Amino acid sequence: MTQLALVIDLNVCVGCQACVTSCKEWNTSGSAGPMVDQNPYGADPTGTFFNRVQTFEVGEFPNTETVHFPKSCLHCEDPPCVPVCPTGASYKRKEDGIVLVDYDKCIGCKYCSWACPYGARELDEQQQVMKKCTLCVDRIYDMTMDADDRKPSCVKACPTSARLFGDIHDPQSAVSIAIREGGGYALMPEWGTHPANHYLPRRKTRITIHEDELERADNPLKVDRQLPRPAMSEPTLDDVTTW
Amino acid sequence: MHPAFSVIFLTTLIGAAQGLFLALFTAQSYAAFKLLPQPDAHAFYGQGSLLALLLLVAGLVASFFHLGHPERAWRTATKWRTSWLSREVIVLPAFMGVVFLYGLAHWLDWHPVLMTLPGGLPVDPSAILGVAGTLLAFALFVCTAMIYACLKFLAEWHSPLTVVNYILLGGASGFTLAAAFAAATAPELVGFLAGWAAIITVLGLLSRGASLVRNARLKPKSTLQTAIGIKHPKIAQKTQGFMGGSFNTREFFHGQPVAVLRGVKWFFLLAVFPLPLLLLLSGMQGGIGLLVAAFVVQYAGLLAERWYFFAQANHPQNLYYQSIA
Ligand code: SF4
Ligand code: SF4
């Protein structure tokens, strides 16, 4: 079984919104019809997006950290949004685990959006059907594209490579390794939705240096304790002689 | 959640219709066992069913305003295996059909004896339709309520009390309506119906009160910490990623100050329970004006109750939409 997913590295994301715009650009130009904006140049512009990048501040001044947080449908392995749909417009594909909406069947009842705890679904005000991330299903299988381009639009756009794409059921895939070795986690695990998308946590690069690693343990001046113990700041034998 | 008027009218109108039908058939059953005088079947059962049918149609019309593509509504009957909404869409027309036939049987005085119960009680089509309608009325209450109660993220709804409330509040308004209707068409039944309306109203107060107490004590399971997966007691959103609104900010927030919420709560607590109770008890002797007032007040209260039901539900997705910058 394949489960395609995104793995988003919060340690790398700089919140530039490139994925938001490239997602919109790709998906608004597709065969499924435009993702129309209302009032785009007015005071209160609004429109349908599959992907949003939010920003959170963690901690209290001055010990704060800014976390940019991209958010889209997580293609849950146990998606609560699917069984509630009365028409079968919402479905999860067996072959690759992508959760999709059939825009020709959706009646716009919004019930699935109530059943998604992540707020990943948005009703298109113009088409009056439910929309959400498709993992660029119309891109990733398009054999007319170079293999390198058969990735979701957001992944291609990210300038810092914060977004990885692959099969999380293949233990050797880059995404599985990233989740396993980078501490990948799922959002709101308390609901048992088993999101396929994972996030990699913020991390600091630290090395731990012990006292004895700063001193030469084999310093002959110290071995027999015949001479006074040189201070840490004094040169060791190696530094002053060549024998 | 943002209360949608289409759904508020749908649930309150069909609830009253279901209650009214249950009241009609309760009266018929009592009369069959000679516990109540036999009313004028044409006027009471026949026109009563018509009234219930009108309410159901009105509810159905209201529900279409909730859909983005009403012309595709037929598709909603396909996923009854998993979706309570789909089940409701199947049960509602079935119930309407049975109410129609039930009313028709009484209207045409179609009472051939189909079989006789052990006690010598004759069973005619209206009795069978009545039993079927009763089962469907309860099934419809359960379907409607489970649409909300099955969503575990919405803790305010995810409780058996939701189902009990829908049954009792729909039942109360339906019996109150039946009492008012009987005052015009079958005065001998007014005391009986008003009495039951009062009893169901009191039961409704108990269960709705219990759900208010329960909801006041709920502790949200999801927090900003689990929403973004960062373990720190102090997290604040700086921006939700856009400045104008989105579907997420429109659909899931009621946008009203706490004072409005509190006002609506006290209004419905008064208008659904004590006021109709007083009016019902004083109209017991057949005061049609008082009984109509009881229904009108209770129905207005139920609109407020349903509004509050939606507004009070706090969706976990709201954690992601707290700040604009
Ligand atoms: S994130 Fe929401 S919309 Fe996407 S699969 Fe999970 S529950 Fe469904
Ligand atoms: S809005 Fe569309 S996809 Fe969602 S539950 Fe309704 S019919 Fe299904």
Side-chain angles (χ1 to χ4, degrees), chain B residues 21-22 25 29 98 102 123 125-137:
Chain B
F21 179 82
L22 292 175
F25 189 61
S29 310
V98 169
Y102 174 84
V123 176
S126 74
I128 293 179
L129 287 168
V131 171
T134 303
L135 293 178
L136 285 171

Side-chain angles (χ1 to χ4, degrees), chain A residues 84-87 89-90 101 105-112 121 130:
Chain A
V84 301
C85 174
T87 63
S90 274
V101 181
K105 281 191 188 165
C106 174
I107 56 165
C109 69
K110 313 180 198 110
Y111 193 28
C112 54
R121 294 175 164 248
M130 198 49 77

Side-chain angles (χ1 to χ4, degrees), chain A residues 57-64, chain B residues 232 234:
Chain A
E57 187 175 79
V58 177
E60 210 167 354
F61 183 81
N63 295 318
T64 57
Chain B
H232 195 292
K234 275 227 149 53

